[in-house]
Amino acid sequence: QVQLVESGGGLVQLGGSLRLSCAASGFTFSRWAMDWYRQAPGKERELVATITSFNIATNYADSVKGRFTISRDNAHNTLYLQMNSLQPEDTAIYYCHTLRQPFYWGQGTQVTVSS
């Protein structure tokens, strides 16, 4: 079964940085595009970054473009999100995602940016 376990969140000051990790198992990780989503209090879940299989291409939401970098280590079945210049508006629970079915959302990892 597909399992995605997020980690690396925490409390950070405005302008700081964090790197989130997602450990993947239960499927052939390198074959599938991966995504990071986030959900802020009172908001719907939104897509923030996507990376294709075998690291061919990436895409970002306008709100994070230039500040966040998505990457993957296919040898270790791990997805990353490097977050720089963090803003209070980045405060949310961050989730990793794949189109591999059956898929269920995990617990996510909380990112809180103080101002």
Side-chain angles (χ1 to χ4, degrees), residues 3-112:
Q3 294 190 62
L4 301 174
V5 181
E6 301 93 344
S7 63
L11 177 65
V12 65
Q13 295 179 341
L14 188 152
S17 298
L18 284 173
R19 188 174 78 157
L20 307 184
S21 298
C22 171
S25 62
F27 66 108
T28 305
F29 177 76
S30 61
R31 293 182 182 175
W32 293 89
M34 299 292 297
D35 315 287
W36 284 100
Y37 282 76
R38 68 185 182 187
Q39 187 166 29
K43 305 287 187 179
E44 65 182 2
R45 185 180 281 116
E46 65 172 339
L47 177 65
V48 299
T50 295
I51 187 166
T52 61
S53 59
F54 298 98
N55 199 24
I56 294 173
T58 59
N59 200 15
Y60 300 91
D62 288 342
S63 59
V64 306
K65 193 171 297 181
R67 300 187 297 117
F68 290 11
T69 302
I70 188 171
S71 62
R72 64 194 299 160
D73 182 352
N74 286 339
H76 295 91
N77 290 355
T78 305
L79 179 73
Y80 299 102
L81 185 67
Q82 178 67 47
M83 305 184 295
N84 299 325
S85 302
L86 283 163
Q87 304 167 3
E89 294 75 23
D90 297 317
T91 295
I93 302 175
Y94 284 73
Y95 303 88
C96 55
H97 172 267
T98 179
L99 289 175
R100 175 72 160 84
Q101 297 296 314
F103 174 82
Y104 301 95
W105 296 104
Q107 293 296 306
T109 186
Q110 175 72 51
V111 172
T112 303

